[in-house]
Amino acid sequence: MGFLGSLNQERIVFAIAVAIFVIAALTLPGFFTADNLVAIVRSVSVLGILALGMAVIVIGRGIDLSMVAVMAMSVAWYLQMLGNGMSDGAALGLALAGVVVIGFANGFLVAYAEVPAIFVTLASASFVYGLVRSQLIGSDAVPVPPGHWVAELGALRLADVPVEVFVFAGLALAAFVFLRFTKWGRYVYYAGDNPAAARNVGMPVRPMLVLRYVLSSLVAFAAGILTAGSLQSMNTRVVNSTQLYDIVLVTVIGGIGLAGGKGGVRNVLIGAALIGIMLNAMTILDIPLLYQNLIKSAILLAAIIFDGVLNPRDEQTAQQGDI
Amino acid sequence: MPSRERLQALRYNLIPDHLIGEILTKRWTDNAIPFLVLVAVIALFGTAIPGFFNPFSLQESTRQLGEFAIVVIGLTVVMLGGGIDLSVGSIFALATFASVGSFFILGLPVWVAFLAALATGALFGAINGYLVGFLRLRAFLTTLVTFIIGRAVFDILVVQFGAAIQMSFASSDAWDFIGDGTLAGLSVPVIAAGLLALVTHVTLTRARIGWHILAVGGSRRSAHNAGIKVRRTVFLTYVFSGLCSGAAGFLIACRLSGAGPGTGAGLEILALTAAVVGGNALGGGRGSVVKGLMGAVIVLVMTNGLIRLGYGTGTNQMVLGIMLAVAVTIDIRWLKNRHKVLNEVYVAPVYLKMGETQSAEPQSGTPFALNSRLAAAESIGLGALEGPEDVILDADDHLYCGTRHGEIVRFFAPDYTRSEVFAHVGGFPLGLAFDRDGNLISCVGAMGLYKIAPDRTVTRLSAETRRSLTSVQDDARLRDPNDLDIAPDGRIYFTDSTKRYDAHDWTLDSIENRGTGRLLVYDPRDGSTKTLLDGYRYTNGVCMAHDGKSLYFAESWACRIHRYWLEGPKAGTAECVIKDMPGYTDNINRASDGTYWMAWLGMRTPSFDLSLRHPAMRKRMTRRLPQDDWLFPNINTGGIVKFDDSGRILQTFGDLTGENHPMVTSMREHKGELFIGGILNNRIGRYRIEGADPEWTGMRAYWGTRA
């Protein structure tokens, strides 16, 4: 075994991230500067926050394709209500209630109707986007009202570091403590590893599923607030972009198996580091966005193939209808 | 009769509850909901949109429908194979670009552009197929990623070559015809989609590869264990889907003569919604091309309708999201609960008041009074046999019986201690009879009427009759062939006990008590099978009268014997000879003194007779209690009855000790002895009959001295 035996996806990805970092630092002008390093961390912090929410879901053997839609549409609706002159408390309450309802509906259909998560969340993403875009907001982009706390949040710096970096760090710590040290966090792993066994042992598998989807929706809302703060508006076209796949990429590439029960916050951090360094290097190299998309998706495909080779499925044990 | 009982009788005997269960067993009921949605959607938008049915507008919208339907057919095939293909939108866009690029930039002929589109689709599909089929990656996520890659490549290509395409002056009549022309009022995409649907449907339902796809989708593991090349089959479904999307891409290339950033955008969720809304099951195995087409029409009419009605951006996505979620949820719930619903509603008991019967108690003084005479029978094959429903002896005195394992066992004369498996038929061989040439004919439960020649070759004579006109369930199939006898002219008369239950579910048939038993005749001269009589409560034993002009048959749950006339003034009609017996009637056979033996498989009980007057109670019983707690006919005591041509009871034999022959389903007289079989017994009884003709054999009685 030796060296090869100790290789796993997480270590490989970490090694690649370090290698790219070293190469970029040596060859790219302006890469290894304090400003650029902060920019790297900042660029992946919103992605990383979303990936943390996704990671908890994936570890519990699920997936949430509605995160970007919930993120963009809930915040756009919130800002629209503010723009229409509603009081902040009422608008925030309504937006949060909407987010919880969507998360609950996702979780309910997955847990109790036993519909595959991937379909539920694909459908709810389409529904959330369509409902908010056609009924609740007037245009694709909704600006943050001037002087609102969201705008101030976006401009907030602590020791020259933007606030979303601290939020990312805080959430990562919280997720780490939750997954590693709390009873409910451990249950997520058991339910992801073998839902039937977890249920037989007496864990509340179904209510926990619902709870996870509600949590991921709330995380998406938080990420949306941070995005709106830094851009001073919320552009709902992001729903049709590849951001969703970036989230999956950050989650999966660090070594969280899609079959569930594996991985942790460390994997998300490593995935986020790799993506952040890569995107930054590609931007410095002036690679067009279209090619960046191609490269990212090719890497995601490689990650999935790798995941499939490391955790193979076979005809005798594969679940029927497990697509 | 009290009015409560009269109401029950009317309610349960006139309202055909059983049809609900029979309709639900039909696969086409899956199509009912999508079809209703289809009709509703077309009605709704047809009335809301002015000029919806105007021929020109219809022609234009069907052009788009044709392209979309082709994509959906490809996706349907992938889904039937247990996968999913989200990359159809990208394949579609890339194929469009391939055709447009070949035609406008490279100036190649139309057919090359078409081949370029197909090749693009096939290549992309092969990549998907390799990843999902051979590397066994998760279909949903993998095709989602290949979708993004394809989209990224397409975006790059469009940016690079978009201007060159717009500036090109290439043109061709064939290109324009495919894009704009019509053939007999139908646009090319519609014709193409129709042809593809037909070919795909026939392939899926009739060809080997189609069956393999459905088998893999139905159960990947079983398909693998059955030797189907699962990975290759899955691979091929993706290649097919790629080809379909490629062809559709070519069609839209001709129609729009260009490719832009919007080409194929959102197609994946449209196509997926269409396939699922049409009723194709996620996870495979259940679905059809027709379902895909219905879904395609529903989704396209709906989305186009919403746009034409002027609803704003996003409405489509909202409606699609709802449709997808609802369709998937219904699909999953229905698949999971269908058999439960079926179990709940299938058993539909009827009301019946059984006639008063004479007692069969010992010393009751009636002709039916049971005794323990059969306890004296010697046992043959004790412990080595399971389920000799019927027994028969040949001209050399060898003894034959069927077993639960689907075999015909032969015991050798004279002492019947040695035995061999004479032939393996399968099913559960029940009634037996020898024909004039010494062939053994058997009614095989769950299979049909079979002939076993003296050289042991097994031939199927009949497994179906003509379907009755009013049947919902296919009653052409012989579900429970039970007993037979052969007329002097060689025609074989036999019974099929029930149309509603398989042979092993006879308890359910007795609880339901609906008359669906038949008497049939097989004619060896032309191989035809005809239904003579229908609507009896579990037709069972059959026996030719000694003169060969009529036959007797038993109606088990009604405890009756009927006589069916083959010739004479009453030819073709049946009359009841003995009614209201105390036992459930089974096989009938000839006796040496010109009378008949008849078996009772069990005895009536006051409790079950009473339950027959309470159909609602029996329905509740089958729904709520486990099978072990059900009330059904007593089969712990049976017996043998001897009757003559006038229906008079001459003698009764029983085994009240319950040791040798608690239940009797058959008996055969042979050289002064009676050989006794029972379907749940583990032996054949051999009982010496006092005063019987020691030379009489069944073979001689039927076929004379020659045999």
Side-chain angles (χ1 to χ4, degrees):
Chain A
M1 296 293 281
F3 174 70
L4 276 177
S6 68
L7 271 188
N8 61 25
Q9 196 174 342
E10 183 190 345
R11 288 178 188 169
I12 293 170
V13 168
F14 185 63
I16 294 174
V18 170
I20 296 179
F21 184 82
V22 170
I23 295 169
L26 293 177
T27 56
L28 293 180
F31 181 85
F32 195 66
T33 60
D35 281 352
N36 191 47
L37 294 185
V38 170
I40 291 178
V41 180
R42 185 184 183 184
S43 70
V44 291
S45 44
V46 167
L47 207 54
I49 291 168
L50 290 165
L52 285 173
M54 182 74 93
V56 175
I57 298 242
V58 170
I59 290 169
R61 196 184 279 188
I63 196 161
D64 188 352
L65 299 183
S66 67
M67 282 189 93
V68 173
V70 170
M71 171 190 93
M73 304 324 284
S74 60
V75 173
W77 181 39
Y78 171 51
L79 298 178
Q80 181 78 37
M81 285 189 288
L82 290 178
N84 294 348
M86 193 183 277
S87 78
D88 199 2
L92 190 63
L94 271 178
L96 277 175
V99 165
V100 169
V101 165
I102 291 296
F104 189 83
N106 278 341
F108 182 82
L109 286 177
V110 174
Y112 292 94
E114 295 174 4
V115 181
I118 211 149
F119 283 97
V120 173
T121 53
L122 186 73
S124 69
S126 183
F127 171 74
V128 167
Y129 172 77
L131 176 75
V132 175
R133 181 67 191 80
S134 67
Q135 310 296 322
L136 302 174
I137 61 175
S139 61
D140 277 339
V142 185
V144 178
H148 189 256
W149 64 268
V150 171
E152 288 169 9
L153 188 72
L156 193 62
R157 295 280 185 286
L158 296 170
D160 274 349
V161 177
V163 72
E164 56 252 48
V165 175
F166 294 103
V167 176
F168 178 36
L171 274 178
L173 186 67
F176 171 75
V177 170
F178 169 70
L179 286 175
R180 183 59 72 90
F181 296 111
T182 68
K183 184 173 80 174
W184 294 76
R186 300 315 295 169
Y187 281 1
V188 174
Y189 284 90
Y190 301 143
D193 201 39
N194 190 338
R199 194 159 177 224
N200 288 346
V201 167
M203 296 178 196
V205 170
R206 287 173 154 181
M208 276 175 52
L209 253 173
V210 178
L211 187 71
R212 286 204 290 277
Y213 283 92
V214 173
L215 274 180
S216 81
S217 294
L218 288 172
V219 167
F221 181 74
I225 292 288
L226 290 173
T227 309
S230 63
L231 300 176
Q232 302 300 320
S233 79
M234 177 47 86
N235 188 345
T236 59
R237 292 221 180 114
V238 72
V239 174
N240 299 321
S241 74
T242 57
Q243 186 175 11
L244 176 62
Y245 313 118
D246 292 349
I247 302 174
V248 178
L249 180 60
V250 168
T251 311
V252 173
I253 200 155
I256 296 180
L258 284 167
K262 289 197 189 76
V265 171
R266 202 174 60 206
N267 303 76
V268 176
L269 295 180
I270 290 174
L274 176 72
I275 300 304
I277 293 166
M278 237 174 45
L279 290 182
N280 188 269
M282 286 196 288
T283 309
I284 292 178
L285 285 170
D286 207 15
I287 297 174
L289 202 60
L290 287 175
Y291 288 90
Q292 290 194 15
N293 281 343
L294 184 60
I295 292 168
K296 275 189 299 183
S297 47
I299 291 172
L300 180 53
L301 182 62
I304 289 175
I305 292 175
F306 207 75
D307 181 44
V309 174
L310 281 184
N311 311 305
R313 311 192 302 151
D314 72 38
E315 270 79 5
Q316 297 296 343
T317 58
Q319 294 252 327
Q320 187 66 30
D322 180 14
I323 49 182
Chain B
M1 199 193 285
S3 58
R4 184 206 65 83
E5 214 169 321
R6 187 167 296 133
L7 276 176
Q8 284 238 330
L10 290 173
R11 153 71 185 83
Y12 283 95
N13 292 7
L14 294 183
I15 297 178
D17 300 40
H18 63 294
L19 293 182
I20 301 171
E22 293 189 3
I23 288 171
L24 279 179
T25 58
K26 298 277 178 190
R27 292 291 285 262
W28 56 254
T29 49
D30 286 359
N31 286 334
I33 295 175
F35 184 74
L36 289 178
V37 173
L38 176 71
V39 172
V41 164
I42 290 182
L44 185 71
F45 287 97
T47 49
I49 300 171
F52 181 86
F53 293 109
N54 155 332
F56 181 75
S57 127
L58 221 52
Q59 212 168 60
E60 281 315 296
S61 39
T62 54
R63 219 175 266 283
Q64 196 190 356
L65 176 65
E67 291 151 10
F68 183 56
I70 292 174
V71 174
V72 173
I73 290 169
L75 180 59
T76 300
V77 170
V78 172
M79 284 178 65
L80 285 176
I84 200 143
D85 190 354
L86 291 183
S87 64
V88 287
S90 288
I91 302 178
F92 179 81
L94 284 172
T96 309
F97 183 83
S99 344
V100 172
S102 322
F103 185 73
F104 289 110
I105 300 179
L106 302 175
L108 295 167
V110 175
W111 62 270
V112 177
F114 179 57
L115 285 185
L118 285 188
T120 309
L123 179 70
F124 206 128
I127 294 172
N128 281 335
Y130 179 77
L131 294 174
V132 177
F134 288 102
L135 292 184
R136 288 165 298 157
L137 303 180
R138 273 152 207 283
F140 197 103
L141 211 66
T142 308
T143 55
L144 196 62
V145 175
T146 57
F147 157 72
I148 310 167
I149 295 180
R151 202 76 218 171
V153 172
F154 176 75
D155 287 342
I156 292 168
L157 289 171
V158 165
V159 169
Q160 293 228 329
F161 298 103
I165 291 169
Q166 287 195 340
M167 309 239 273
S168 166
F169 293 105
S171 77
S172 136
D173 290 343
W175 182 274
D176 292 340
F177 174 75
I178 295 170
D180 286 329
T182 56
L183 215 66
L186 294 172
S187 56
V188 176
V190 168
I191 297 170
L195 282 177
L196 182 71
L198 192 69
V199 170
T200 313
H201 177 75
V202 171
T203 309
L204 282 177
T205 52
R206 307 281 190 280
R208 181 186 302 250
I209 179 70
W211 286 29
H212 282 184
I213 291 171
L214 288 168
V216 169
S219 172
R220 202 180 156 94
R221 194 179 311 172
S222 307
H224 172 73
N225 293 343
I228 294 175
K229 290 188 171 121
V230 171
R231 299 179 184 193
R232 200 189 64 185
T233 311
V234 171
F235 172 78
L236 289 177
T237 61
Y238 285 92
V239 174
F240 178 76
S241 167
L243 282 171
C244 287
S245 298
F250 170 74
L251 291 171
I252 200 179
C254 293
R255 182 156 65 95
L256 302 181
S257 287
T263 306
L267 186 64
E268 63 289 337
I269 193 164
L270 273 180
L272 181 64
T273 309
V276 177
V277 166
N280 291 304
L282 296 170
R286 214 166 47 87
S288 68
V289 172
V290 177
K291 288 191 170 92
L293 290 181
M294 283 199 294
V297 176
I298 293 172
V299 165
L300 213 61
V301 168
M302 197 130 170
T303 51
N304 281 358
L306 287 172
I307 292 171
R308 280 165 72 174
L309 287 175
Y311 285 101
T313 327
T315 315
N316 262 336
Q317 278 94 332
M318 179 173 75
V319 173
L320 278 177
I322 294 177
M323 278 170 72
L324 184 60
V326 169
V328 171
T329 309
I330 289 178
D331 174 63
I332 301 263
R333 300 318 296 169
W334 174 237
L335 204 62
K336 191 172 171 188
N337 294 310
R338 180 194 172 113
H339 72 279
K340 281 191 208 161
V341 174
L342 205 57
N343 280 352
E344 287 267 302
V345 301
Y346 195 80
V347 181
V350 296
Y351 171 92
L352 175 72
K353 186 171 186 180
M354 298 280 280
E356 282 293 318
T357 181
Q358 285 182 291
S359 172
E361 291 271 328
Q363 287 96 39
S364 60
T366 69
F368 294 118
L370 278 175
N371 46 55
S372 289
R373 286 200 259 184
L374 295 182
E378 291 171 40
S379 295
I380 297 171
L382 177 63
L385 269 180
E386 262 188 273
E389 202 265 357
D390 198 4
V391 294
I392 197 162
L393 295 104
D394 67 9
D396 302 320
D397 302 339
H398 301 312
L399 173 66
Y400 298 78
C401 70
T403 73
R404 187 169 79 75
H405 308 288
E407 277 151 3
I408 307 270
V409 175
R410 164 153 77 173
F411 288 88
F412 294 102
D415 54 359
Y416 305 113
T417 51
R418 269 187 327 118
S419 67
E420 63 167 2
V421 172
F422 178 63
H424 183 85
V425 190
F428 192 161
L430 301 174
L432 300 168
F434 277 109
D435 71 5
R436 190 182 296 277
D437 304 319
N439 297 309
L440 184 58
I441 315 289
S442 176
C443 273
V444 182
M447 283 172 70
L449 190 65
Y450 281 73
K451 175 172 94 173
I452 301 112
D455 67 358
R456 303 171 192 238
T457 51
V458 178
T459 323
R460 188 178 75 189
L461 297 180
S462 171
E464 58 186 314
T465 176
R466 180 180 297 224
R467 185 168 173 173
S468 60
L469 285 174
T470 53
S471 65
V472 174
Q473 200 159 42
D474 182 3
D475 62 359
R477 174 165 74 108
L478 301 181
R479 206 154 183 177
D480 192 6
N482 206 316
D483 194 27
L484 75 156
D485 209 351
I486 305 173
D489 62 2
R491 277 192 286 190
I492 301 170
Y493 291 85
F494 65 104
T495 50
D496 184 35
S497 298
T498 159
K499 296 176 193 173
R500 299 238 319 142
Y501 295 94
D502 288 327
H504 62 269
D505 276 334
W506 61 269
T507 45
L508 280 173
D509 191 73
S510 72
I511 288 168
E512 180 168 299
N513 230 267
R514 191 176 292 276
T516 58
R518 291 178 287 187
L519 178 71
L520 307 104
V521 59
Y522 168 80
D523 193 333
R525 284 165 299 189
D526 58 6
S528 67
T529 304
K530 278 197 202 74
T531 308
L532 299 174
L533 298 171
D534 196 348
Y536 289 85
R537 296 173 208 274
Y538 211 83
T539 49
N540 206 319
V542 181
C543 180
M544 281 292 147
H546 285 277
D547 61 5
K549 289 179 180 161
S550 63
L551 62 79
Y552 293 94
F553 69 92
E555 187 185 10
S556 294
W557 307 142
C559 304
R560 292 180 192 146
I561 303 286
H562 299 271
R563 182 176 210 168
Y564 177 79
W565 292 91
L566 305 180
E567 43 188 279
K570 298 186 204 163
T573 62
E575 61 186 1
C576 185
V577 185
I578 310 174
K579 61 176 186 178
D580 298 331
M581 286 186 136
Y584 298 105
T585 53
D586 206 310
N587 286 2
I588 311 170
N589 286 309
R590 287 180 184 176
S592 58
D593 55 4
T595 62
Y596 304 92
W597 301 103
M598 192 221 56
W600 278 338
L601 70 95
M603 302 305 289
R604 278 167 61 178
T605 53
S607 53
F608 191 73
D609 283 2
L610 182 64
S611 82
L612 290 177
R613 293 160 61 186
H614 293 268
M617 168 266 172
R618 277 179 288 144
K619 189 163 178 75
R620 270 202 311 282
M621 175 179 81
T622 57
R623 275 184 177 180
R624 296 187 193 169
L625 293 182
Q627 191 155 6
D628 284 355
D629 293 347
W630 288 353
L631 190 62
F632 63 87
N634 157 40
I635 50 169
N636 293 327
T637 312
I640 294 173
V641 177
K642 200 175 184 191
F643 67 92
D644 66 11
D645 271 318
S646 66
R648 197 160 54 90
I649 307 301
L650 304 173
Q651 266 180 306
T652 309
F653 300 80
D655 182 3
L656 293 172
T657 67
E659 275 181 28
N660 272 333
H661 297 287
M663 124 189 262
V664 182
T665 54
S666 176
M667 66 275 110
R668 240 10 120 156
E669 185 176 339
H670 187 80
K671 296 194 174 167
E673 288 178 311
L674 201 57
F675 293 83
I676 305 156
I679 193 166
L680 297 179
N681 215 336
N682 60 352
R683 70 198 80 185
I684 294 172
R686 186 179 186 183
Y687 179 78
R688 177 148 298 283
I689 315 163
E690 275 174 51
D693 177 356
E695 292 305 314
W696 189 91
T697 70
M699 276 306 270
R700 220 170 289 149
Y702 273 88
W703 311 116
T705 46
R706 196 178 67 92

